[in-house]
Amino acid sequence: MKSDLKVKYLQFLLGKKKDSNEGFTLIELLVVVIIIGVLAAIALPNFLNQTAKAKQAEAKTTMSQVNNAQALHRNTNNDFAGDMSTLALGLPTVTANYTYNVIGGDDTAGIKATAANSAMKGYRGGNAFFKDGNSNSVIATVACEADVAGTGDPDYPDLDTTQTTLETAAACGTNFKSVK
């Protein structure tokens, strides 16, 4: 390419100015809004599910602490505590997420966590003191999570002191599964 042609071409490119009225068209903006809407529709349910799981962790932790305290109380006092205050854990019976009810007596104890809103699952747990097949004293402990979310009363687990195995002395029952 001749040098004067190169110079003229560069002058042409440098002299070309953008139109000051350029911008996004309505169609381009509409496409962007639709894409953001689709992404939000996908992400929002996942976000809400994760917040419910975080709130449910409160119930699992409380239930575990109460079950452990009940087993310790039974070993120390030869009976289970009848309420949360007797366990002296300093845990509330009502929080923003759950309402906790504790029962206990001679050989069984139970806890239930009723969800405050329908996005969270209910929980129930308990302890049963029994004699195994070798006549050894054993405390069976169970923690159960509802299969579906809801604010229904989870009731107490199936506790049977006449059984001789851990699995049958304390069981979750129907519509609940064991949690670790």
Side-chain angles (χ1 to χ4, degrees):
M1 214 174 187
K2 294 185 180 178
S3 62
D4 62 336
L5 185 59
K6 287 181 184 177
V7 170
K8 285 185 179 183
Y9 181 66
L10 287 173
Q11 286 175 343
F12 170 75
L13 289 175
L14 292 173
K16 191 175 182 183
K17 294 184 178 175
K18 290 229 175 216
D19 186 2
S20 62
N21 290 332
E22 282 188 20
F24 297 109
T25 67
L26 187 59
I27 297 296
E28 292 169 329
L29 290 175
L30 184 61
V31 168
V32 169
V33 168
I34 289 172
I35 290 171
I36 291 172
V38 167
L39 291 175
I42 292 169
L44 188 61
N46 290 334
F47 173 74
L48 294 175
N49 188 29
Q50 292 304 316
T51 58
K53 283 183 180 179
K55 291 176 182 178
Q56 288 171 183
E58 169 200 315
K60 290 178 186 178
T61 301
T62 300
M63 191 170 44
S64 175
Q65 290 175 338
V66 168
N67 278 344
N68 290 338
Q70 285 284 32
L72 181 62
H73 191 275
R74 175 67 171 89
N75 286 333
T76 305
N77 300 307
N78 292 326
D79 67 350
F80 289 107
D83 54 38
M84 188 85 88
S85 62
T86 304
L87 293 172
L89 293 173
L91 297 173
T93 56
V94 178
T95 67
N97 302 318
Y98 285 93
T99 301
Y100 301 99
N101 292 316
V102 174
I103 60 168
D106 293 331
D107 292 335
T108 61
I111 178 172
K112 60 182 178 178
T114 305
N117 71 53
S118 60
M120 298 183 301
K121 294 181 178 183
Y123 291 87
R124 65 188 185 184
N127 298 285
F129 177 80
F130 69 99
K131 300 278 186 179
D132 68 5
N134 296 325
S135 295
N136 295 318
S137 297
V138 180
I139 296 176
T141 300
V142 68
C144 311
E145 176 183 74
D147 291 337
V148 295
T151 57
D153 188 3
D155 208 4
Y156 297 100
D158 301 331
L159 304 171
D160 188 348
T161 60
T162 63
Q163 298 296 320
T164 58
T165 65
L166 291 171
E167 294 79 20
T168 56
C172 288
T174 58
N175 300 322
F176 281 82
K177 65 182 176 212
S178 179
V179 291
K180 304 294 179 208

